């Protein structure tokens, strides 16, 4: 793996599960190119996973807050996409997950423009 998290496509081609399906490198490249889960580098010789950033981290939230209260911050506005899941992390932090990276960015922008003060 290089510094940009790419690995040579031949590494994937050498996986036992892939070799059971095919050893044809062109078929493997075609499958990788059509996948939404990986990205091919500009040379067409390396691949890396697509990293989806669908989680916002809320900090300094009272440890008395509930998941329902956190979700209500996101789910009660027509200008903010609803969250899928709220999880207490630790140190008064919460992970708030959205369906897509685009929705997470919309929620982030919404809260940057419309700050909320939560008192759990």
């Amino acid at each position: 793996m290089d510094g940009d998290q790419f690995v040579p496509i031949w590494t994937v081609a050498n996986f036992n599960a892939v070799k059971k399906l095919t050893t044809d490198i062109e078929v493997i490249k075609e499958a990788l190119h059509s996948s939404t889960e990986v990205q091919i580098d500009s040379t067409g010789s390396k691949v890396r996973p697509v990293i989806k950033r669908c989680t916002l981290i809320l900090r300094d939230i009272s440890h008395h807050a509930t998941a329902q209260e956190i979700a209500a911050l996101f789910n009660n506005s027509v200008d903010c996409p609803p969250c899928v899941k709220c999880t207490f992390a630790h140190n008064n932090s919460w992970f708030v997950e959205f369906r897509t990276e685009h929705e997470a960015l919309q929620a982030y922008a919404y809260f940057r423009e419309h700050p909320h003060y939560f008192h759990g």
Side-chain angles (χ1 to χ4, degrees):
M1 182 181 302
D2 67 16
D4 293 320
Q5 298 185 337
F6 281 102
V7 296
I9 288 177
W10 59 260
T11 301
V12 175
N14 282 323
F15 292 164
N16 287 333
V18 174
K19 287 194 285 188
K20 286 180 182 177
L21 297 171
T22 185
T23 57
D24 184 336
I25 194 73
E26 294 307 316
V27 170
I28 295 167
K29 284 183 180 181
E30 184 179 323
L32 291 170
H33 276 286
S34 66
S35 174
T36 59
E37 299 299 318
V38 297
Q39 176 184 15
I40 308 296
D41 76 337
S42 59
T43 67
S45 63
K46 296 187 279 184
V47 65
R48 70 177 173 191
V50 171
I51 298 171
K52 297 175 184 168
R53 296 182 179 151
C54 300
T55 303
L56 295 183
I57 301 172
L58 303 182
R59 301 184 193 285
D60 299 325
I61 302 291
S62 169
H63 67 279
H64 297 292
T66 66
Q68 292 81 12
E69 291 172 317
I70 299 297
L73 293 172
F74 298 89
N75 298 342
N76 291 338
S77 172
V78 295
D79 296 324
C80 184
C83 64
V84 174
K85 181 178 173 185
C86 296
T87 307
F88 179 74
H90 57 80
N91 296 332
N92 295 341
S93 295
W94 285 80
F95 295 147
V96 183
E97 296 178 38
F98 295 86
R99 285 187 300 260
T100 66
E101 182 174 4
H102 179 72
E103 286 185 356
L105 290 171
Q106 281 182 305
Y108 173 77
Y110 173 77
F111 276 91
R112 293 279 299 176
E113 294 174 15
H114 305 94
H116 287 67
Y117 298 96
F118 183 75
H119 302 284

